[in-house]
Amino acid sequence: MKKKETALVCFSGGQDSTTCLFWALSRFESVEAVCFVYGQKHVKEVDVARKIAVEAGVPFEVLDVSLIGQLTHNSLTDFNMVMDKEKPEDSYPNTFVPGRNMVFLTFAAIKAFQKGIHHLVTGVSQADFSGYPDCRDTFIRSLNVSLNLAMDTHFEIHTPLMWRDKEAVWKLSDELGVFDLVRNETLTCYNGILADGCGECPACKLRKHGLDLYLKHRNE
């Protein structure tokens, strides 16, 4: 039975957030989506997200937080930086955008507060988090407490993918009936290429590895 409440999904139009969007639609009576422009090279994802949201009948809004790109040097916002194809052994990959998820969820919470929404949904995962510290469960729990204290309310941040690797995310999209949509209409690629993407960036490699495993096990 769906909760007779509204959920606000942090939505980028990628595999994970699209799966989360339909997860939310299966559990909440009403769902809205918020997308962020932060100076990313693959800003095409915003158009992809808007298209999916419209097709799903979900209200969609874009927030400009491009100040992030002025505060940090990383290969997702710096057009002169060569992207790491593998995670360095002793540091984060240069695709890490410091503070990104904190900013996204904070702005989403402010928007939710104004609308009387108490449920936030994000596609972060500790199982497949590429070394990003702001995808960890401890961070989400901590931020949830901080947001509640900051606005004297009770938000609940839902992380349906937290303990799912990419194979399990593909499985969830299949269970939700949107496997083909996620496979063919989402944009995960850091180079801005739809569906299977460029095949070379870390996001594409992670996505393909999970897909190959899922299809192998589904067909056995």
Side-chain angles (χ1 to χ4, degrees), residues 66-151:
S66 52
L67 176 63
I68 295 177
Q70 300 175 36
L71 299 175
T72 175
H73 295 291
N74 61 82
S75 62
L76 295 193
T77 61
D78 188 338
F79 285 73
N80 296 314
M81 184 179 292
V82 178
M83 186 182 300
D84 284 338
K85 291 188 177 181
E86 304 291 340
K87 181 184 179 300
E89 291 185 8
D90 57 349
S91 66
Y92 308 123
N94 65 14
T95 52
F96 173 53
V97 183
R100 180 177 58 172
N101 285 333
M102 181 172 65
V103 170
F104 287 0
L105 282 165
T106 299
F107 274 82
I110 295 170
K111 179 61 65 176
F113 182 88
Q114 296 300 319
K115 291 173 170 282
I117 297 172
H118 296 281
H119 296 277
L120 305 174
V121 182
T122 178
V124 298
S125 169
Q126 188 163 322
D128 268 337
F129 72 120
S130 302
Y132 299 167
D134 59 353
C135 289
R136 295 176 297 181
D137 186 59
T138 51
F139 162 71
I140 296 296
R141 290 175 181 271
S142 173
L143 182 62
N144 202 153
V145 171
S146 295
L147 291 173
N148 289 347
L149 290 171
M151 291 179 237

Side-chain angles (χ1 to χ4, degrees), residues 145-202:
V145 171
S146 295
L147 291 173
N148 289 347
L149 290 171
M151 291 179 237
D152 193 23
T153 189
H154 181 73
F155 293 117
E156 183 176 355
I157 301 178
H158 300 268
T159 55
L161 310 186
M162 181 59 74
W163 307 112
R164 302 177 195 259
D165 60 16
K166 278 293 180 288
E167 179 184 2
V169 176
W170 282 111
K171 182 175 187 292
L172 177 59
S173 69
D174 210 357
E175 292 169 350
L176 291 167
V178 292
F179 177 85
D180 288 340
L181 183 152
V182 172
R183 184 173 185 182
N184 299 314
E185 298 183 36
T186 61
L187 195 159
T188 301
C189 176
Y190 288 152
N191 288 311
I193 300 174
L194 198 68
D196 291 337
C198 69
E200 296 295 326
C201 74

